[in-house]
């Protein structure tokens, strides 16, 4: 396999999974925003602004032409003093996929934690062994006793015929 064919396969996978990855990124951003909104609402603090949230979506997810609908959705919740829902934000941004299974499926399950960023090139993190606590001598004696009695299989004795 040449490098060009590997690159073509990678690009094909990126195109294939572009929308699901965008939805997962949108879910993370919108859940964080809705959480901030809810805490500000319960603490009687000013609600977060929509414009930085929309700019973050455009930068990290994808540029869309439905941001004005999202602005109206957030303004309605601001007037009613209610918390927006992350799934409704996604349905507002992706109206063609609102009735489909993909949006609801990606918003239904638990998200795994964000992966840790890779260390810079050339720096190899050391895997140090975990420190252990001091072992009680009594438990050590019990472990030795169990190993002696149950560890080795018993020898089968031949019976004379």
């Amino acid at each position: 396999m040449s490098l060009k064919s590997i690159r073509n396969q990678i690009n094909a996978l990126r195109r294939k999974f572009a929308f699901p990855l965008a939805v997962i990124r949108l879910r993370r951003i919108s859940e964080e925003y809705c959480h901030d909104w809810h805490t500000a609402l319960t603490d009687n603090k000013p609600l977060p602004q929509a414009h930085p949230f929309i700019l973050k979506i455009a930068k990290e997810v994808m540029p869309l032409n439905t941001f004005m609908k999202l602005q109206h959705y957030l303004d309605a919740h601001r007037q009613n003093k209610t918390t927006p829902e992350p799934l409704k934000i996604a349905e507002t941004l992706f109206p063609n996929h609102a009735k489909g299974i993909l949006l609801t499926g990606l918003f239904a399950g638990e998200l795994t934690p964000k992966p840790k960023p890779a260390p810079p090139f050339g720096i190899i993190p050391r895997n140090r062994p975990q420190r252990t606590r001091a072992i009680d001598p009594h438990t050590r004696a019990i472990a030795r006793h169990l190993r002696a009695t149950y560890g080795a299989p018993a020898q089968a004795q031949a019976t004379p015929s």
Side-chain angles (χ1 to χ4, degrees), residues 142-154:
I142 292 173
R144 228 180 291 125
H145 173 70
L146 290 176
R147 193 173 2 160
T149 55
Y150 299 113

Side-chain angles (χ1 to χ4, degrees), residues 157-161:
Q157 295 183 1
T159 56
S161 339

Side-chain angles (χ1 to χ4, degrees), residues 54 57-67 94:
I54 291 173
I57 291 173
K59 180 182 175 187
E60 294 184 20
V61 177
M62 65 175 56
L64 299 166
N65 59 359
T66 54
F67 287 129
F94 301 114

